[in-house]
Amino acid sequence: MQHTRPADTYSPLYFLASVGAGGLSVTFFMYLMFWVPHPGKPVPVFEDIMAAFSTGSVGLKTGILVAMLGIAAMVFLNLKYLIWNLKTFSVFRKTEAYTKLKSSNGETTILAMPLALAMSVNGLFIVGLVFVPGLWSIVEYLFPFAMAAFLAIGIMALVYIGDFLGRVLTKGGVFDVTAHNSFAQMLPAFALAMTAVGFSAPAAMSTNTVVVGVSLVGSTFFGIASIIYAVLALFTAFNSMLHYGTSKETAPTLLIVIPLMTILGIMALRQDHGLHATFEVHGSAGETMIFLARLIAVQVLFGLLGLVMLARHGYWKSYVFGSDTSPGSYALVCPGVALSVLLQFFINAGLVQAGVLTKYSVMYWVITAVAIAFQFAMVALVLRLNRQHFGRPAVQAVPAE
């Protein structure tokens, strides 16, 4: 078979192309979340956005316009690459390459599929809030369906994880420890966390006690499952990395802790809101600020580690700006997106709410500019990677592990 583009050498890691675009839709939603007034509601909806657009300043109108265009474009890319991946994956499952993948460490790359599905459900919910008039009046009826969708995705993830662990923990020697020299095995934790954050949304938005309770318990289950898996994968991977060094092609996985912190952090904030609004459990603005500061500290530390490894391996020169291609390059998008989103929460739900920073002050915009810089750098990276992998250059893809 003549490969005309890198994406024709398929790997489930190409689901990350969908995940990255979906994450970018969230970065644009942050503009609306924190700049558009939405009294009486935890999130802005179509009516709030239109009211702000008709009465707001030129700056606010520009922000709203950029946000809505950004959300529409990124959710389009998210769904485009999700559909392409689902079709291609169904064909891939019938090949010898899939059988080989299922008997290697790379089996966990299949978890990129439930991760992408959960991201797309989150993205579609944002589209509903922003573009569908009157949605808030029926939103309570949608929550049970949303939780059912996330439960199904979570079960799918657990089944794939069970297949993998069942194989490697019952047959000694089938897991290649020498190839465990990256954080690639944390992908299952990422998928579980994305399910958890989606499951937690009704806790922050519903006024029905049963719905909030189910949302809290369900998101806690998947969140704890994610943390346990992440801790085990993290420590065993570090052990392997100290013995065998890090792998060049899987170096971007060293940054996977960054999106994990953002996703679990948003889950915790949603749960706190549900506990406060429905069950009278009160936390202070200062506690939220320091909680978010701790998450950002973890992100910065792992970010520095990952950047050192990427630089030492010459990864950017080879796989991003060079002619080499690897589907794992899409793993670079999620950390930048996650930093942008968590910075917006830290600024607005942390520093501003605690009274440390005045909203719309000079320092507010200076720090916000950092979040926006990460966001647009990732937009550029996504467009670059899409051209590399889904365009038609005469480049042979690096085979997936």
Side-chain angles (χ1 to χ4, degrees), residues 40 80 155 183 197:
K80 174 185 173 182
I155 290 170
F183 289 169
V197 75

Side-chain angles (χ1 to χ4, degrees), residues 88-357:
T88 311
F89 182 74
S90 68
V91 175
F92 177 69
R93 288 186 69 159
K94 298 167 186 156
T95 65
E96 190 179 327
Y98 178 77
T99 305
K100 185 179 176 184
L101 183 73
K102 286 280 286 182
S103 60
S104 71
N105 289 19
E107 182 178 359
T108 50
T109 60
I110 297 169
L111 270 296
M113 178 173 60
L115 169 63
L117 290 169
M119 182 74 254
S120 294
V121 176
N122 284 317
L124 287 170
F125 201 79
I126 286 174
V127 167
L129 292 175
V130 174
F131 293 104
V132 180
L135 183 76
W136 199 251
S137 63
I138 59 162
V139 76
E140 288 289 355
Y141 299 103
L142 301 179
F143 290 141
F145 293 104
M147 289 193 292
F150 283 113
L151 179 62
I153 293 167
I155 290 170
M156 178 197 296
L158 289 172
V159 168
Y160 279 123
I161 292 168
D163 282 349
F164 172 70
L165 292 180
R167 178 174 64 84
V168 300
L169 295 179
T170 56
K171 300 176 184 175
V174 297
F175 184 79
D176 185 358
V177 179
T178 64
H180 186 34
N181 55 344
S182 70
F183 289 169
Q185 293 301 324
M186 287 183 66
L187 190 58
F190 197 1
L192 291 169
M194 190 66 77
T195 304
V197 75
F199 218 117
S200 68
M205 297 185 222
S206 179
T207 55
N208 183 293
T209 304
V210 174
V211 169
V212 173
V214 172
S215 173
L216 287 169
V217 173
S219 59
T220 297
F221 172 80
F222 287 109
I224 292 296
S226 171
I227 292 167
I228 291 171
Y229 201 102
V231 169
L232 292 172
L234 192 74
F235 284 113
T236 55
F238 248 110
N239 184 46
S240 183
M241 285 156 60
L242 290 170
H243 277 84
Y244 307 107
T246 56
S247 157
K248 179 175 180 176
E249 195 186 344
T250 58
T253 65
L254 298 176
L255 299 167
I256 200 170
V257 174
I258 297 174
L260 205 58
M261 290 299 100
T262 293
I263 295 167
L264 292 174
I266 293 172
M267 179 199 77
L269 291 177
R270 286 174 167 179
Q271 289 183 335
D272 284 347
H273 186 89
L275 288 167
H276 165 73
T278 307
F279 298 104
E280 301 295 327
V281 178
H282 301 291
S284 70
E287 287 173 327
T288 301
M289 177 183 70
I290 203 66
F291 168 69
L292 292 170
R294 287 167 182 158
L295 294 181
I296 287 177
V298 174
Q299 289 184 323
V300 169
L301 291 169
F302 276 95
L304 293 173
L305 171 67
L307 289 174
V308 167
M309 293 303 102
L310 288 166
R312 289 291 180 96
H313 281 302
Y315 189 92
W316 298 97
K317 185 178 177 182
S318 298
Y319 290 108
V320 179
F321 301 112
S323 59
D324 293 336
T325 56
S326 166
S329 298
Y330 279 100
L332 292 170
V333 177
C334 297
V337 165
L339 268 171
S340 179
V341 171
L342 198 64
L343 268 174
Q344 290 274 24
F345 274 99
F346 178 58
I347 295 162
N348 293 279
L351 297 175
V352 171
Q353 288 296 317
V356 175
L357 199 63

Side-chain angles (χ1 to χ4, degrees), residues 50-68:
M50 289 301 103
F53 190 80
S54 62
T55 60
S57 64
V58 174
L60 181 58
K61 287 179 180 179
T62 303
I64 290 171
L65 203 57
V66 170
M68 293 182 79

